[in-house]
Amino acid sequence: MLALINTNRMSPPIAPIGLDYIASSARKAGIDIELLDLGLTENTEGLIKEFFSKNDPELVGITFRNADDCFWPSADWFVPKLKQTIDEIRTLTKSPIVLGGIGFSIFARPILEYAGADFGICGDGEIALIELIRQLRGSKEFKRVPGLLWRDENKIHENPPSWPEPLSLGTERNFVDNPAYFKRGGQCGIETKRGCNRNCIYCADPLAKGTKLRLRNPYEVVDEIQSLLNQGVNVLHICDSEFNLSYNHAMDICIEINNRSLGEKVSWYTYMSPAPFNSVLAQEMAKAGCIGVDFTGDSANESMLRTYNQHHKKENIATSVKLCKENGMAVMVDLLLGGPGETPETVKETIEFAKTIDADCIGATLGMRIYPRTFMEKYVTEQLYRGNHNSIRRKYTGPLNLLMPTFYISEQLGEKPAELVKDLINGDKRFFEPSGEDATDYNYNDNTSLIKAIENGARGAFWHILNQLNKNL
Ligand code: B12
């Protein structure tokens, strides 16, 4: 039997959808599975003990979604808690432990070393985990397990990440308690594809999901929407990096939802790039039930957009916002302030621009989480070599360790960059500020206003719920 454990305890809770997909493929392979979900309980210690007193798994699989909250003001780091959970499990079972999940995949080796697990799988879990079980039951040829990290004679070995193609996933969504997550988290996730073929200098998505778009068949995706609707889950968040990359696939998904006339039954939100987008896609999305779009705007300064390696221009942001509003979809624009070369003038340009477009809300994120193996790592290493460390912001001392929350904020923004941004926002309530409180706080990590609103019946994307609260302040 395979035990699958969800360790994500952040609230409002987000369902571990990866475990639903993995469970579906394990069941098809004839493997028995049991779930220990630590995301919906207060008494984790008691639940872990109870689980292992009743179950003796051949392998314990742990999903690790967030390595930290990626939010500069709090810089909350979850890897020590993961280690603590693993240590606790070790006292209750001798079964081998395998780690997976997006937070794990971004860092893989350092997390495996730090947390002391036996195995790790970098990338997709559906095929790799089944192959690991086969190898543990048989000849232990670990080289055959895609994405596997394993220990041998005190060395950690690594196979290339697991990004199988074509991508086909189970549609049942019945392993995790999705209705409970819906009630406490206000929405549930679904993927239409995996991977991202862009190379934004800061982004970790290609590390965990691959650099190629792996598209799911639209029929399969809409079967899955139907399964969630059958469970009473009718507000969804698309879990792709950017829904409109590829444009044609986004259209095909919407067309299939519309062919089955589900647009009135389901409401959904998504992340999107400001381009490619046009009125045809906007209309099709709105008809298919899309009620909110969160655009990766990043900046309105041409030079900053090129530095970030973005493909869009500020005009695309303005046009895309307009298209959404014309089609009745709420809009959030995410800014990423403080990257290499950012100055008070470029921040001003971006914030002033954001005020002129008709977005419902604007996320003013300040500080770039520096991930290993991205362009930002190389850039920062070079800067340190030249003796420039003022742009690196961290709350730990000692050598630079990117596993721990480490951020980049251009030193040109001065000693108090958050105040600079706040002054420029100047009380405009549409903005989520870099460090705020309650409903103006754009950190979903234990956000009490959000938790309360969902308890009181609010449903939707977190930004949309916060935006409604903001309006009523
Ligand atoms: C959609 C999304 C959101 C939505 C979620 C909506 C929803 N209802 O699901 C919202 C907007 C709410 C959100 C919020 C946050 N998010 Co978010 N989010 C994403 C996104 C785009 C997709 C995540 C997802 O569900 N993927 C699909 C599932 C199926 O993939 P998966 O979990 O990785 O599972 C697969 C594999 O990892 C593996 N696997 C998983 N578990 C296991 C277990 C074992 C044993 C094995 C072997 C394999 C395995 O197999 C699975 C199937 O192949 C990712 C980036 C990305 N492109 O992936 C960021 C991402 C996960 N989010 C991130 C962050 C930081 C957050 C927040 C903390 C932000 C904040 N401060 O508020 C919150 C956390 C909320 C919470 N309670 O956990 C970061 C985490 C990075 C880090 N440093 O750890 C990411 C990576 C974005 C980024 N690059 O910065 N997020």
Side-chain angles (χ1 to χ4, degrees):
M1 184 272 278
L2 165 67
L4 288 174
I5 304 182
N6 175 32
T7 55
N8 182 9
R9 300 198 24 77
M10 199 185 282
S11 198
I14 287 294
I17 76 169
L19 294 189
D20 256 350
Y21 292 137
I22 289 176
S24 170
S25 91
R27 280 180 182 143
K28 277 180 202 138
I31 296 166
D32 289 334
I33 32 174
E34 289 293 336
L35 172 68
L36 170 56
D37 195 339
L38 304 177
L40 293 173
T41 177
E42 295 308 316
N43 175 15
T44 52
E45 220 177 293
L47 205 69
I48 295 174
K49 279 201 180 107
E50 190 194 330
F51 182 85
F52 284 100
S53 70
K54 288 187 190 149
N55 296 290
D56 182 20
E58 61 186 308
L59 179 65
V60 177
I62 297 182
T63 186
F64 189 54
R65 183 193 196 273
N66 307 312
D68 57 88
D69 65 3
C70 270
F71 195 68
W72 159 236
S74 49
D76 209 354
W77 191 42
F78 307 118
V79 184
K81 279 190 201 129
L82 173 71
K83 180 175 165 40
Q84 211 182 318
T85 307
I86 290 180
D87 290 346
E88 208 176 319
I89 294 172
R90 292 275 195 220
T91 65
L92 302 169
T93 177
K94 295 212 170 347
S95 310
I97 296 177
V98 56
L99 286 173
I102 186 155
F104 173 75
S105 298
I106 294 171
F107 301 95
R109 183 182 279 258
I111 292 192
L112 191 81
E113 279 168 353
Y114 183 103
D118 303 288
F119 300 100
I121 286 172
C122 176
D124 296 13
E126 291 87 354
I127 294 175
L129 197 52
I130 293 169
E131 188 55 38
L132 176 60
I133 291 180
R134 276 200 195 113
Q135 291 304 331
L136 285 170
R137 286 179 184 172
S139 52
K140 302 194 172 45
E141 286 176 73
F142 294 127
K143 270 201 162 9
R144 299 179 80 105
V145 184
L148 189 72
L149 286 88
W150 79 97
R151 295 164 189 277
D152 184 20
E153 293 172 0
N154 290 332
K155 262 181 39 197
I156 293 178
H157 300 267
E158 251 177 271
N159 295 337
S162 170
W163 295 319
E165 275 187 287
L167 179 67
S168 176
L169 308 173
T171 59
E172 319 85 89
R173 298 295 300 270
N174 57 4
F175 182 59
V176 170
D177 188 348
N178 286 300
Y181 273 102
F182 183 46
K183 199 167 163 214
R184 290 173 58 178
Q187 24 103 35
C188 282
I190 182 166
E191 281 186 300
T192 81
K193 64 173 172 297
R194 286 187 184 154
C196 185
N197 55 7
R198 293 276 168 95
N199 55 350
C200 306
I201 59 166
Y202 50 82
C203 187
D205 288 8
L207 302 173
K209 304 284 168 190
T211 52
K212 231 174 132 186
L213 298 176
R214 294 176 290 135
L215 311 177
R216 285 179 81 190
N217 184 321
Y219 301 108
E220 187 183 287
V221 175
V222 183
D223 283 352
E224 190 174 325
I225 294 178
Q226 190 67 69
S227 298
L228 288 163
L229 282 173
N230 293 344
Q231 297 172 47
V233 177
N234 60 1
V235 183
L236 305 178
H237 197 298
I238 307 270
C239 290
D240 305 6
S241 298
E242 307 282 22
F243 180 62
N244 55 336
L245 305 177
S246 90
Y247 175 92
N248 288 342
H249 186 64
M251 273 300 283
D252 290 346
I253 297 285
C254 296
I255 289 169
E256 184 53 25
I257 298 176
N258 291 330
N259 283 345
R260 297 197 210 176
S261 306
L262 290 179
E264 305 240 309
K265 297 190 177 138
V266 67
S267 301
W268 51 276
Y269 295 82
T270 190
Y271 285 119
M272 290 225 304
S273 169
F277 193 42
N278 58 24
S279 60
V280 182
L281 181 57
Q283 277 166 26
E284 206 66 41
M285 282 170 64
K287 193 174 161 204
C290 180
I291 54 168
V293 177
D294 183 346
F295 286 106
T296 309
D298 280 5
S299 176
N301 175 269
E302 184 60 23
S303 155
M304 287 309 297
L305 284 172
R306 296 295 81 82
T307 299
Y308 289 168
N309 248 342
Q310 285 295 5
H311 293 209
H312 62 267
K313 293 180 176 297
K314 70 173 174 189
E315 291 76 21
N316 297 117
I317 306 177
T319 316
S320 296
V321 169
K322 197 163 165 267
L323 282 171
C324 286
K325 302 299 287 187
E326 281 168 4
N327 286 282
M329 295 180 276
V331 192
M332 158 101 170
V333 173
D334 259 317
L335 304 177
L336 186 48
L337 305 170
E342 189 93 89
T343 63
E345 290 70 39
T346 59
V347 173
K348 185 166 187 247
E349 184 185 343
T350 297
I351 290 178
E352 293 306 326
F353 170 80
K355 285 181 183 174
T356 64
I357 54 178
D358 192 22
D360 296 276
C361 43
I362 300 127
T365 299
L366 173 69
M368 230 176 220
R369 172 61 161 105
I370 308 166
Y371 288 115
R373 298 177 290 144
T374 58
F375 171 85
M376 277 310 289
E377 180 186 29
K378 284 192 213 121
Y379 180 79
V380 161
T381 312
E382 200 187 299
Q383 292 293 310
L384 285 176
Y385 181 73
R386 292 188 191 163
N388 304 336
H389 18 80
N390 292 342
S391 299
I392 295 161
R393 318 277 172 136
R394 54 185 174 136
K395 293 189 172 154
Y396 60 91
T397 50
L400 199 71
N401 178 359
L402 297 187
L403 177 58
M404 295 166 82
T406 311
F407 295 82
Y408 185 95
I409 303 179
S410 167
E411 67 172 308
Q412 296 181 73
L413 299 188
E415 286 291 297
K416 294 189 172 157
E419 273 180 28
L420 172 98
V421 173
K422 215 174 162 149
D423 287 348
L424 286 166
I425 291 172
N426 195 21
D428 188 326
K429 280 202 177 171
R430 292 170 299 173
F431 283 78
F432 294 121
E433 293 177 359
S435 61
E437 281 163 5
D438 292 332
T440 58
D441 188 348
Y442 181 35
N443 187 0
Y444 304 139
N445 181 3
D446 290 332
N447 189 312
T448 39
S449 323
L450 199 49
I451 295 168
K452 263 194 226 141
I454 296 171
E455 260 171 26
N456 292 335
R459 297 288 175 266
F462 292 162
W463 59 265
H464 202 195
I465 296 176
L466 288 173
N467 181 242
Q468 307 293 325
L469 292 178
N470 244 343
K471 278 188 191 155
N472 298 333
L473 276 182

